[in-house]
Amino acid sequence: MAFPQPRPKGTQLPKHLLRTVDCQQGAVRAVRFNADGNYILTCGSDKSLKLWSVSRGTLLKTYAGHGYEVLEADSSYDNSQLCSCSSDKTVVLWDVATGQVTRKLRGHAGKVNCVQFNEEATVILSGSIDGTVRCWDTRSRRMEPIQILDEARDGVSSLKVSEHELVTGSVDGRVRRYDLRMGQLHVDFIGSPITCICFSRDGQCTLSSSLDSAVRLLDKSTGEMLGEYTGHVNKGYKLDCCLSDKDTHVLSCSEDGHVYYWDLVEGSLTLKLPVGKAVVQSLSFHPTEPCLLTAMEGHVQDATLQEVGERQVVVGGEARASPAAVLKQHRLVRVIPQPEVSHLEQDGVESARGFRAAGRSDLPLHMPLGSLLFLIVTSFPLFLVEV
């Protein structure tokens, strides 16, 4: 007779402020975990990229070589290489151990907003305000991109790659999913400039945030809108969004100094985490642990950990159904219409933060001088070290 499976534990959301670190990089444009969550990358307006240890909270290496502020970075699966992009229109490939520039890739006509390795770290993909995504071969000495994707009608603000698929978000208000194996392009119209795009952990859905202060969950294969999450403020800044490590909650930065958590299934606001008084521009969730990183300016208020009961997305105590499957069981599915005229072809109005919704491929990357904020729930000891 087999014993029953133990009841799954409730979801633990990161609420306790463990540490605040002054990165001494000017404005922290982006903060990212590496692939296994043991290291942290911070991108600064002082043209530097920094690598940090999670377990010790110490600075491991500083990478200098860009001519202007660093906007995004990514690490290879084996942690031997880093790639970064900058407002200087370049993409740089770094050797982690030596800190030296392995290759500096030029070709974009404007600043490069986003960059990422493919799964094997053989290709770097970069998106720019020039409206193109360029694919670079890291094993070749050839300086030209091996492929250019130029379907976007405005600047590419965000991209993510997963196995044979690439998803991009653009200022033209469209989510584009490229099936590189089949040579197909799927386009979903959102209607507002997109600031961030990502896949769900199971790869069945895409999550996008846009300048109409909304985060939307779309079924990857059909384009159906499975969920819409509102309540935060996103009117003029390029803000991050993501899913928690178990696909149970949707997270988003906000211009009001908070990080917002929504229940993925119900769409209700689970937690409004106060971080400070300035804009929370960047965040990154640990790949396997309830651990959150945020980057912003100003002081951060301490918060305590509170266990939040999880809506069960568990079958037999082990396997989890995909967000798409769960949402389709709990709510009606709405289809996003495809209008005849693009939102950005209409008269655009410049927001208070300088973001032009039409006629300009220039994403705002405003970020006052700030700090890297570690909001972590972990089982191992961490210590604050001044750097």
Side-chain angles (χ1 to χ4, degrees), residues 125-240:
L125 298 99
S126 58
S128 168
I129 65 170
D130 63 10
T132 67
V133 174
R134 295 174 185 254
C135 308
W136 314 86
D137 189 345
T138 61
R139 299 168 297 180
S140 170
R141 304 305 301 177
R142 181 181 178 184
M143 301 305 294
E144 296 79 19
I146 56 177
Q147 187 172 6
I148 300 176
L149 307 174
D150 57 359
E151 287 77 17
R153 300 167 64 182
D154 212 318
V156 177
S157 58
S158 181
L159 65 80
K160 288 292 183 295
V161 60
S162 176
E163 296 181 350
H164 62 280
E165 291 183 317
L166 167 69
V167 62
T168 67
S170 173
V171 184
D172 63 11
R174 286 174 169 83
V175 174
R176 293 176 173 84
R177 182 172 62 88
Y178 298 85
D179 190 323
L180 303 178
R181 182 176 57 188
M182 302 297 294
Q184 297 177 342
L185 170 62
H186 306 270
V187 181
D188 296 308
F189 183 80
I190 299 298
S192 180
I194 296 170
T195 65
C196 183
I197 188 76
C198 63
F199 284 106
S200 59
R201 302 281 179 176
D202 65 355
Q204 299 301 310
C205 302
T206 61
L207 186 72
S208 63
S209 63
S210 52
L211 287 183
D212 57 356
S213 298
V215 179
R216 296 175 176 88
L217 186 72
L218 305 181
D219 186 286
K220 185 187 71 174
S221 58
T222 65
E224 296 172 342
M225 186 166 70
L226 304 176
E228 186 174 12
Y229 311 91
T230 59
H232 65 299
V233 181
N234 187 6
K235 297 292 186 182
Y237 288 83
K238 182 180 182 296
L239 304 184
D240 286 343

Side-chain angles (χ1 to χ4, degrees), residues 13 32 38 58 69 78 88 97 146 229 295 310 315 326 328 333 335 343-344 352 374:
L13 300 179
R32 297 289 180 261
N38 292 325
T58 56
E69 57 188 3
D78 60 358
D88 63 6
I146 56 177
Y229 311 91
E310 176 184 359
V315 179
V326 175
K328 286 179 179 179
V333 175
V335 179
H343 170 77
L344 293 184
F374 294 74

